[in-house]
Amino acid sequence: MQSIHLFPVFLIGLFGSVHCAGMCGGIVSAFSMAPPAVRAFPVPVATRGAPRVPARVLSYNAGRIASYMMAGALAGGLANGARTLAGLGGLQTAGYWLANLMLVALGLHLMDAWRGLAHVETIGGGLWRRLKPLGARLQPLDGAGKLFGLGVLWGWLPCGMVYSVLVTAMLSGSAASGAAVMLAFGLGTLPMLVTMGVAGARLRAAMQRRAVRVAAGLLVLGFGLAGVARAATGGQAHWLDLFCIPGLAP
């Protein structure tokens, strides 16, 4: 995989992170400020001597990205093994179409034009129900290590946006490449979530404005459509390489 192909994945994380502002805003506030209640995640408990807000934000986000990389490595490694055993070149072609159609769905989801991607989040519901109670064992959150651990759990929170990029990780060709894809994606989401962790609800409200969501959705939709166009031309439109997700052309 050429490193330049990771740039679109970074941008997908960057623009798609407006979705994080809505879905994960309460979690970010809980991790950073320790409010009294959060429905989506075990509530961190602030303790005397706990890391300051910037250190807390960086610690749990590092754990979150580590989980993304682990999932990417599993997806890339397993898919590569299955492709090798089956010996089917068509498997990658089908996966390439699926990955780009998932990006199209993500763009529509960000624009609130189609909410079907939300149904994909039920895939990870069973695993999440098993992992969620582990957060209680990490309290009190009196060190960066515990915050990192809680971030690792957060990384497995069911999320259609993450799943759409995991399809790309499956196409990457190896466990290492799959981890690299998810690292690029995670780094793309980092500016939004770090800033939101420090700035709080004000940024969260701004990112939920319809104009912001539509603009971000159109950009992600554009990446998906560029990939579909490349697939439809049999990989001949090489000028699309800069705008397409990683993976070999069909």
Side-chain angles (χ1 to χ4, degrees):
M1 176 175 43
Q2 299 178 14
S3 59
I4 194 172
H5 288 176
L6 292 177
F7 182 62
V9 181
F10 173 83
L11 291 180
I12 289 166
L14 182 65
F15 296 124
S17 59
V18 299
H19 172 67
C20 303
M23 179 178 178
C24 302
I27 300 174
V28 172
S29 298
F31 283 8
S32 302
M33 306 299 182
V38 171
R39 295 180 181 178
F41 207 84
V43 182
V45 177
T47 60
R48 183 174 299 178
R52 295 180 181 273
V53 170
R56 294 172 70 88
V57 171
L58 292 175
S59 295
Y60 63 69
N61 274 290
R64 175 180 62 88
I65 294 175
S67 283
Y68 290 170
M69 293 177 67
M70 185 184 305
L74 289 172
L78 290 175
N80 183 53
R83 184 168 59 247
T84 300
L85 290 175
L88 297 175
L91 185 62
Q92 179 146 340
T93 301
Y96 189 84
W97 275 93
L98 176 61
N100 285 287
L101 290 175
M102 286 287 285
L103 290 183
V104 170
L106 175 59
L108 295 174
H109 180 83
L110 290 172
M111 292 187 290
D112 292 322
W114 183 66
R115 306 294 294 179
L117 192 61
H119 298 298
V120 179
E121 295 176 357
T122 60
I123 295 175
L127 176 62
W128 174 243
R129 284 191 293 271
R130 294 176 181 273
L131 293 177
K132 182 177 178 180
L134 297 177
R137 300 183 182 182
L138 296 172
Q139 298 192 38
L141 295 178
D142 51 4
K146 290 184 177 181
L147 286 160
F148 178 87
L150 206 56
V152 169
L153 293 180
W154 176 19
W156 297 100
L157 182 72
C159 176
M161 184 174 74
V162 174
Y163 295 160
S164 67
V165 182
L166 271 176
V167 177
T168 299
M170 291 174 61
L171 293 175
S172 62
S174 69
S177 296
V181 168
M182 296 309 293
L183 172 61
F185 168 73
L187 291 176
T189 65
L190 197 58
M192 171 70 73
L193 290 176
V194 167
T195 305
M196 191 162 54
V198 175
R202 183 174 299 179
L203 176 65
R204 179 184 176 188
M207 290 298 102
Q208 287 302 290
R209 293 176 181 172
R210 178 163 178 78
V212 175
R213 292 187 63 90
V214 169
L218 285 172
L219 287 166
V220 174
L221 178 63
F223 283 116
L225 292 176
V228 169
R230 188 168 186 263
T233 60
Q236 298 302 312
H238 296 297
W239 62 273
L240 287 171
D241 285 0
L242 181 61
F243 306 100
C244 294
I245 60 173
L248 300 176

